[in-house]
Amino acid sequence: MSRQLLPEPTPQLSLNLIQPVLISGPDDNSDKYEKSKDVEVVEEIRPNKSIDSLGEVGLGSSGGREEPIVTRAELWSYYLYYNGDNGVGPGNYSMILFQSLATAAGYDPLAGSASSCTGPNASGQCVLPWGPGGGTKSVSSIVLVANGISFAIMTAMFTTIGSAADYGTFGRWLLLVVTLICWAAQFASMVLTTPSRWPTAMALYILGYTSYGATLVFYAAVFPILARNTAKSRELKRKRDENKGADGGEWEREEAMERSRISNISTTHSNIGYIATLLLNLSLLLPLATNTKVNNYVIVLTNAYWVITGIWWFIFQQPRPGPPLPKGEHYLTIGWKQIWLAMKQYKKLPYTFVYLFAFFLLADGLNTTGTLISICQNAKFNFSFLQSTYLGLSQAITSTMSTLGFWYFQRYFKISSKRMFIITNVVTILIPLWGMIGIWTNKIGFHNAWEFWMYNVVFGLFQAPYYAFAQTMMAELTPPGFDNMFFGLFGLSNRASSMVGPNVIQVIIDRTGNNWQGFPFLFALCAAASVVIWFGVDVEKGRSDARRWAEERRGVGERREE
């Protein structure tokens, strides 16, 4: 089962190997740390009332104040949150359980409503009653509809309240709330024990998957804030500020490497957690193989692992509040206004917005490809949690090795994040291309068990680093201090696009009765997006534009305060 969502992946290094590269904590920088706490309450820079003196609501920025240096405990709690938020439950097991119950409740349309979809003479098609007038819809299409609904909800969430996370402590509490919702939905899976409850399974899947996607986006928005406040990043910024007239290229490259390090290590921890969770689940799946509720127990155990590893972030996270909400504004409306204002800046931030547009297409292609392959994989292995766990382990282990492997390779040869991202894009294109072959032959093209093993290994080796480098590129193209705003757009590109793909594919499947007919559309999306990123995004110029834009915005705010 592929892991679909923003920041993810990794390499198999022990924690002892990872620890030496962690930034120093307060024990090593006590003077700096104490100073940062003392100046944390300096005069706030309120968001400027207008960007261009047009009377519009300005963009909030947290970049004008001194912020606490990241401590070791805070950084490790950040990593551990992602260790537990690895997607095994809401992004994998919940979908299998939902598809399994729906298939058990459905019937073969070629054999009549009294037939079974899993009988010895079943045609391979499976439908359920759907909508008024006695209509039906295939189970594969229903799963894709559930994904489309999930991404639609996420889109509404990110456009409405995503940007508001830049103000005050709203972002901190927002991540806590969506995390608690996801935990509750996963624990509620204990009630899903009979085929007749497939609508409940669909509802819980949507709730859990939606809140899981939100945790990834709001967690990712914290990344650039932490990355710019490590001891090393602060020292590099100080040197750059002291030598404004000199060439700052070397310091910028070092800052980029520091961001890449944090991104890759956090992604690594996600896959370490992925491996640990899957291995832990074998302790239930093997001895309780004949227990009818073992799948439900596994989801609860998976969720409990996340609770244990994730709670520490909300304890050790240091306060880095944004500016206060402008007078007369509301958290439910300012997001839309800010998105509109941000979109109007495309001429001043051309490479940032070209990347957001291309990522919109790429995320649609990759996420929907993962969902479609998972649907085929689940049916191929008869919705087995045990088989899915084994496949997941193959992906998690290769992901863990590849993410740190890619990072060390990048660091050793001083290769840009964009070039590393391009390598992953090539494989992104090849995956739906392989599925297309399955339209014309049953010999290859995701028809055989070995192909799903191959897919999980290839996905782990190349698509795992994709998430880390996609996030790193966005961080480089994001104006400093406007992190939640632009990472909200980044998350919107990921989620909103994935509202389109599943709905297009489910229509294709309903009309053709063939899951594989969706792969050509996905191949075209991935190819088009990759070409735009390769030839249309200049990261160095985009980073310079973003920094200059942020300084201008803060300058306007300061003048207005005077």
Side-chain angles (χ1 to χ4, degrees):
M1 171 72 181
S2 64
R3 302 169 62 207
Q4 304 167 21
L5 288 211
L6 201 65
E8 297 176 327
T10 72
Q12 178 59 335
L13 289 187
S14 68
L15 297 183
N16 290 332
L17 288 177
I18 294 175
Q19 189 171 0
V21 299
L22 295 176
I23 58 116
S24 55
D27 293 338
D28 303 308
N29 299 277
S30 56
D31 292 338
K32 293 180 183 179
Y33 180 65
E34 290 302 321
K35 180 180 179 181
S36 69
K37 290 198 297 184
D38 291 339
V39 299
E40 181 183 357
V41 293
V42 298
E43 180 182 358
E44 297 174 346
I45 297 177
R46 296 183 180 88
N48 45 295
K49 180 62 180 175
S50 169
I51 287 184
D52 297 311
S53 301
L54 297 177
E56 299 169 303
V57 177
L59 300 177
S61 168
S62 59
R65 71 180 72 202
E66 194 77 18
E67 295 172 322
I69 293 179
V70 177
T71 67
R72 185 177 296 276
E74 182 179 27
L75 189 62
W76 269 96
S77 66
Y78 181 75
Y79 292 152
L80 285 174
Y81 179 92
Y82 206 16
N83 187 294
D85 191 15
N86 51 58
V88 172
N92 188 349
Y93 288 144
S94 292
M95 177 178 169
I96 297 174
L97 184 58
F98 162 39
Q99 188 180 350
S100 174
L101 293 177
T103 300
Y107 63 90
D108 187 338
L110 302 183
S113 58
S115 63
S116 170
C117 294
T118 57
N121 298 318
S123 66
Q125 299 185 45
C126 188
V127 299
L128 280 165
W130 186 265
T136 62
K137 185 177 285 289
S138 72
V139 170
S140 295
S141 294
I142 291 174
V143 173
L144 286 165
V145 166
N147 274 269
I149 292 174
S150 298
F151 289 123
I153 294 173
M154 283 186 254
T155 300
M157 183 188 306
F158 300 145
T159 52
T160 303
I161 61 177
S163 300
D166 276 319
Y167 293 96
T169 60
F170 187 69
R172 181 185 185 129
W173 294 107
L174 191 57
L175 180 59
L176 175 61
V177 169
V178 294
T179 299
L180 292 175
I181 291 173
C182 191
W183 288 349
Q186 292 292 284
F187 283 133
S189 295
M190 278 304 301
V191 306
L192 306 176
T193 55
T194 61
S196 62
R197 293 180 179 175
W198 74 264
T200 303
M202 181 176 180
L204 286 177
Y205 171 68
I206 291 173
L207 182 62
Y209 194 50
T210 299
S211 52
Y212 163 66
T215 65
L216 291 179
V217 171
F218 295 124
Y219 167 90
V222 178
F223 156 68
I225 300 173
L226 288 182
R228 71 167 176 257
N229 284 297
T230 65
K232 183 175 181 179
S233 293
R234 292 278 281 272
E235 179 64 16
L236 289 169
K237 181 180 183 301
R238 183 187 64 79
K239 290 180 178 179
R240 178 162 48 81
D241 291 344
E242 289 177 354
N243 297 272
K244 284 189 175 181
D247 179 17
E250 181 61 30
W251 295 314
E252 289 185 352
R253 283 190 291 272
E254 288 298 320
E255 285 181 292
M257 285 296 173
E258 178 70 355
R259 285 191 293 267
S260 184
R261 181 179 72 85
I262 301 296
S263 178
N264 278 280
I265 292 178
S266 66
T267 299
T268 298
H269 274 278
S270 173
N271 280 277
I272 290 174
Y274 199 43
I275 295 171
T277 303
L278 293 172
L279 289 174
L280 183 64
N281 290 336
L282 292 177
S283 67
L284 291 179
L285 289 168
L286 293 176
L288 300 179
T290 59
N291 190 307
T292 57
K293 293 184 179 181
V294 64
N295 293 345
N296 307 82
Y297 296 151
V298 165
I299 292 178
V300 169
L301 179 62
T302 299
N303 197 48
Y305 178 86
W306 182 11
V307 172
I308 293 171
T309 57
I311 194 66
W312 303 105
W313 170 244
F314 303 105
I315 296 173
F316 289 110
Q317 180 186 11
Q318 296 187 87
R320 296 183 181 89
L325 194 70
K327 291 183 179 180
E329 297 300 328
H330 194 278
Y331 283 112
L332 295 180
T333 57
I334 194 168
W336 287 96
K337 295 179 180 179
Q338 288 211 12
I339 288 173
W340 171 244
L341 289 175
M343 295 296 288
K344 290 173 66 176
Q345 303 304 305
Y346 73 93
K347 290 184 179 180
K348 297 181 180 179
L349 299 169
Y351 297 110
T352 301
F353 283 93
V354 168
Y355 179 67
L356 285 169
F357 170 74
F359 190 77
F360 178 95
L361 299 179
L362 188 63
D364 194 1
L366 181 60
N367 289 341
T368 310
T369 296
T371 300
L372 185 55
I373 293 175
S374 296
I375 290 171
C376 298
Q377 176 178 296
N378 294 340
K380 181 67 178 180
F381 293 104
N382 298 316
F383 313 104
S384 169
F385 268 43
L386 181 60
Q387 189 63 47
S388 176
T389 299
Y390 289 142
L391 289 166
L393 279 170
S394 70
Q395 182 185 132
I397 291 172
T398 53
S399 295
T400 304
M401 292 188 296
S402 69
T403 302
L404 279 184
F406 268 67
W407 174 54
Y408 282 129
F409 184 83
Q410 178 193 21
R411 186 178 65 172
Y412 183 82
F413 291 102
K414 302 292 184 181
I415 301 174
S416 70
S417 295
K418 178 182 176 180
R419 290 183 179 178
M420 300 299 291
F421 193 39
I422 287 174
I423 296 173
T424 70
N425 292 162
V426 173
V427 179
T428 302
I429 297 171
L430 293 178
I431 291 174
L433 179 62
W434 184 271
M436 282 176 57
I437 302 174
I439 297 175
W440 303 289
T441 178
N442 290 328
K443 293 183 179 180
I444 59 174
F446 298 120
H447 289 289
N448 308 289
W450 66 266
E451 291 180 284
F452 294 106
W453 282 99
M454 178 187 72
Y455 162 72
N456 279 276
V457 170
V458 170
F459 191 97
L461 288 174
F462 293 97
Q463 295 309 109
Y466 153 92
Y467 292 103
F469 291 121
Q471 176 178 266
T472 302
M473 281 189 63
M474 187 64 223
E476 294 196 31
L477 296 169
T478 294
F482 298 83
D483 310 289
N484 277 291
M485 157 61 61
F486 283 90
F487 264 81
L489 292 176
F490 185 52
L492 181 61
S493 294
N494 193 15
R495 304 279 79 74
S497 66
S498 299
M499 176 179 62
V500 177
N503 287 306
V504 172
I505 300 303
Q506 66 94 8
V507 171
I508 294 173
I509 292 175
D510 268 345
R511 291 182 177 179
T512 64
N514 187 334
N515 290 347
W516 284 260
Q517 291 290 344
F519 284 113
F521 173 76
L522 299 174
F523 168 74
L525 277 181
C526 292
S530 296
V531 169
V532 172
I533 291 173
W534 298 349
F535 301 104
V537 178
D538 187 320
V539 176
E540 291 186 4
K541 291 183 179 179
R543 182 171 54 231
S544 178
D545 290 343
R547 183 177 292 117
R548 182 170 55 253
W549 184 88
E551 290 173 353
E552 290 175 355
R553 299 287 76 74
R554 286 195 292 271
V556 171
E558 289 172 341
R559 290 194 298 272
R560 289 183 178 277
E561 284 301 302
E562 295 172 358

